[in-house]
Amino acid sequence: MSIIYVLIPIAVLFVMLGLAIFFWAVRSKQFEDLDKEGFSILFDEQQAQPKNTTDAATEQATATSSAKTNQQQDKSSQ
């Protein structure tokens, strides 16, 4: 029976500690967006879009020239 005098204060301490951690998590907005992290593993990250048209034209020209180079290499290896 004397163990009850030890276990009850320990149990109350654990409950108070759990509540303190819960309220800290709520206050620091840990529960704001619960779905975002779950969906993040399902989709690839979006690549950054070019900010202006000059960058887009440069990237397109680079991709076109590298594709031509690859085609020429394929032809020469046959």
Side-chain angles (χ1 to χ4, degrees):
M1 182 71 178
S2 64
I3 193 71
I4 292 291
Y5 297 123
V6 175
L7 290 178
I8 289 177
I10 291 173
V12 170
L13 182 67
F14 280 139
V15 168
M16 290 173 59
L17 182 66
L19 284 173
I21 291 171
F22 173 74
F23 284 118
W24 167 81
V26 170
R27 218 175 311 122
S28 64
K29 299 182 180 178
Q30 296 290 316
F31 301 114
E32 280 296 308
D33 188 10
L34 298 176
D35 294 330
K36 181 178 116 181
E37 295 302 320
F39 287 127
S40 68
I41 62 170
L42 299 176
F43 302 107
D44 290 333
E45 292 182 16
Q46 296 288 331
Q47 292 183 355
Q49 297 295 325
K51 297 199 184 226
N52 57 31
T53 57
T54 308
D55 291 340
T58 304
E59 286 180 11
Q60 186 176 8
T62 304
T64 304
S65 65
S66 66
K68 287 179 182 178
T69 305
N70 289 342
Q71 287 176 353
Q72 291 173 353
Q73 288 176 352
D74 289 341
K75 287 180 182 178
S76 65
S77 66
Q78 292 176 354

